[in-house]
Amino acid sequence: MLVLSCVNCAFNALQYDNLGTAVGYCTEHRRVLTTPALTTCGRLFRNDLMLRSAEREQGLHEARFTPSAISSLATGKVVDGARTSSSTADLAALARDAVAAEVMQYGRLGSKIESLARLSMLPKARAEIGLTSLGRTYVRRCVERGGVWSSGLHLFWWVKSRVAEEPDVQVDDLRESQALPLSRQMDLARWSVVMLRLTFLSDVAEHAAGTKDPIRAARDLPEQAARATQSLSFRKLLHWVRRGEGRRILDRALTQRAYERLSEKVHREQDRAGAGTLAK
């Protein structure tokens, strides 16, 4: 995987590492990515990096590649329709895939959180990639626009609730064949999904860094997981999340009682905001 390509971008929620559909889809530019390993743009938000590192890299990337169009990763030149497509036929073909259909609707339904909720209800690991990738961009933009970390409260709870589950990865979820035993390829794919879960959770916690909220304790989850397991071992990682320090960190970060209390607070604030809008 080329880490500076569209394959590794959170806005392309159909692909991550060696998982996903054969082609990608950019939710920013609304285009099918026919050769995503060869393209990029200045909005690249790397899925393999935690929040602050991804933000720094995005700033550097924007200095080379325009954010307003998709470019060739090799030359930096805008591809002008080559390597991407927005044709009705191509969009319709991609939308036959259930996960792709939801990703393509992101931001076009009543709200983006509605799209994320629909992804959370779909089975299979590819739907999780969509949820966690787009979830990262959703919470980040909410905070950039004056919101706080609790804009990702429900997303955090959804992902936390399934973080210790074995990802539902099937052979046809693999994008490419590799010179490895199939069982090893499947384990590496599952490892990637769990790490992306932890990366999303750490993003939300990082947005709470300036507060006293217990959730901030989950800021460095991916780093702690990597140090504890010291290898790309899915079984070791899952054990760490299920019964090791990962579980203890997450249990302290957001308890059931705290989630319910914060949910009520968020709903009250939304109700007040809605009433204010109506009054105007």
Side-chain angles (χ1 to χ4, degrees):
M1 176 181 68
L2 297 175
V3 296
L4 299 182
S5 75
C6 294
V7 172
N8 192 37
C9 182
F11 292 114
N12 171 21
L14 293 185
Q15 300 176 315
Y16 175 61
D17 200 8
N18 196 35
L19 280 166
T21 48
V23 299
Y25 179 79
C26 178
T27 57
E28 289 289 273
H29 297 291
R30 299 291 179 186
R31 299 187 73 87
V32 177
L33 305 169
T34 53
T35 56
L38 303 179
T39 55
T40 192
C41 86
R43 303 185 195 187
L44 177 79
F45 193 75
R46 287 175 55 173
N47 255 340
D48 66 319
L49 296 178
M50 293 164 58
L51 177 64
R52 299 309 177 201
S53 295
E55 288 180 332
R56 285 194 297 272
E57 288 298 313
Q58 190 275 325
L60 295 171
H61 203 66
E62 190 175 350
R64 180 182 175 190
F65 299 95
T66 177
S68 62
I70 298 171
S71 301
S72 164
L73 180 59
T75 66
K77 295 181 179 179
V78 174
V79 294
D80 287 328
R83 304 191 184 283
T84 72
S85 173
S86 60
S87 75
T88 301
D90 287 349
L91 293 171
L94 185 56
R96 293 192 186 102
D97 178 86
V99 175
E102 294 300 338
V103 167
M104 293 166 71
Q105 285 297 313
Y106 181 70
R108 289 180 167 171
L109 295 173
S111 68
K112 290 180 177 179
I113 197 67
E114 181 179 346
S115 295
L116 295 171
R118 290 167 68 94
L119 280 168
S120 76
M121 293 184 287
L122 287 177
K124 299 188 69 173
R126 291 198 297 110
E128 281 201 69
I129 292 172
L131 173 66
T132 47
S133 296
L134 293 177
R136 298 189 73 192
T137 69
Y138 172 81
V139 180
R140 181 185 176 218
R141 283 188 168 167
C142 285
V143 172
E144 286 178 341
R145 293 169 180 171
V148 294
W149 74 264
S150 57
S151 59
L153 174 66
H154 298 307
L155 291 170
F156 188 97
W157 187 257
W158 296 343
V159 176
K160 175 183 179 289
S161 298
R162 69 178 63 172
V163 69
E165 295 177 4
E166 183 166 322
D168 182 8
V169 176
Q170 304 298 324
V171 173
D172 58 1
D173 293 326
L174 302 177
R175 294 190 304 110
E176 301 172 334
S177 60
Q178 299 176 334
L180 291 170
L182 181 57
S183 59
R184 178 58 175 160
Q185 294 184 52
M186 299 286 281
D187 265 0
L188 287 173
R190 294 184 183 102
W191 181 91
S192 294
V193 173
V194 176
M195 285 300 292
L196 192 55
R197 292 171 181 169
L198 297 179
T199 300
F200 167 76
L201 294 171
S202 76
D203 270 22
V204 179
E206 182 62 39
H207 288 302
T211 73
K212 296 182 179 180
D213 295 321
I215 200 167
R216 61 183 179 162
R219 284 178 295 169
D220 60 349
L221 269 175
E223 291 180 343
Q224 291 200 44
R227 285 197 300 269
T229 56
Q230 297 184 339
S231 65
L232 301 183
S233 168
F234 167 64
R235 293 299 166 190
K236 287 183 178 179
L237 178 60
L238 198 64
H239 183 273
W240 184 82
V241 173
R242 280 180 174 173
R243 300 183 180 88
E245 183 61 18
R247 170 53 58 191
R248 289 187 284 274
I249 292 171
L250 286 169
D251 285 346
R252 290 194 300 266
L254 188 64
T255 64
Q256 176 81 37
R257 182 176 180 181
Y259 172 63
E260 292 171 356
R261 175 176 53 80
L262 287 166
S263 293
E264 291 175 0
K265 179 181 177 182
V266 169
H267 291 153
R268 286 196 302 270
E269 290 172 349
Q270 290 173 342
D271 289 343
R272 284 198 296 270
T277 300
L278 290 173
K280 294 178 180 179

